[in-house]
Amino acid sequence: DGGITQSPKYLFRKEGQNVTLSCEQNLNHDAMYWYRQDPGQGLRLIYYSQIVNDFQKGDIAEGYSVSREKKESFPLTVTSAQKNPTAFYLCASSIAWQGDQPQHFGDGTRLSIL
Amino acid sequence: GQQVMQIPQYQHVQEGEDFTTYCNSSTTLSNIQWYKQRPGGHPVFLIQLVKSGEVKKQKRLTFQFGEAKKNSSLHITATQTTDVGTYFCAGPFDNQGGKLIFGQGTELSVKP
């Protein structure tokens, strides 16, 4: 089945530690996205990638970094500079970088601070 | 800046009652998308509306796009426990390609 796989499902970060969240898709989609969701909140865009080897900052990029070296992969690193990382992180993809394309989401990663 | 507001934030209903969530944008939208997120799950795309005044139905769910393309609603007739979850509307940013602005969501709980 085609889809988006995020791992791990749960992740714990120690103070001063960088952690990387994995996102892989086999939908052959060009565009990929990372969102952060806090309890009772909507989705806030962290980073997005229109196409392989390209990525852009979203609305809350500080303390995060990404790469897009392969079409199917868009990992997110939560750096120690992100002081409030506890949240639910969702990766999504769409066929193309267009506002009329629905986004397909992975199951998410829940990140907590130890 | 562009905003998409959604009300109510929470709605508790008895099974069998109807439910409506409303979505209002500060600017005209080229389209509006609706997503459902089950508790503990991820958002799942439900539908997209494109035309002014468009109405689409999916079984007990009715989606409307306003004439001015600035508001939308989702109505569920005779709710069931399987309808539990958070419903989000989302619309694209002006001239920013695939960026979507998501509403805050309406969390629906259904008492059997």
Side-chain angles (χ1 to χ4, degrees), chain B residues 79-90:
Chain B
T79 54
Q80 299 176 358
T81 54
T82 54
D83 296 323
V84 164
T86 301
Y87 294 85
F88 293 97
C89 61

Side-chain angles (χ1 to χ4, degrees), chain A residues 4-6 22-25 32-35 73-75 89-93 103-109, chain B residues 42-43:
Chain A
I4 299 180
T5 302
Q6 288 188 242
S22 170
C23 178
E24 303 278 330
Q25 55 102 355
M32 297 188 75
Y33 314 80
W34 273 106
Y35 292 94
S73 179
F74 191 40
Y89 291 87
L90 287 158
C91 178
S93 71
Q103 295 185 10
H104 302 258
F105 288 82
D107 289 340
T109 294
Chain B
H42 60 274

Side-chain angles (χ1 to χ4, degrees), chain B residues 5-23:
Chain B
M5 305 297 292
Q6 213 174 329
I7 56 170
Q9 189 172 3
Y10 303 98
Q11 185 78 55
H12 309 285
V13 300
Q14 193 76 35
E15 189 172 21
E17 292 181 338
D18 291 357
F19 159 78
T20 304
T21 174
Y22 301 91
C23 183

Side-chain angles (χ1 to χ4, degrees), chain A residues 32-47:
Chain A
M32 297 188 75
Y33 314 80
W34 273 106
Y35 292 94
R36 171 179 171 141
Q37 186 175 35
D38 294 283
Q41 304 275 325
L43 306 178
R44 293 187 290 168
L45 184 64
I46 305 172
Y47 266 96

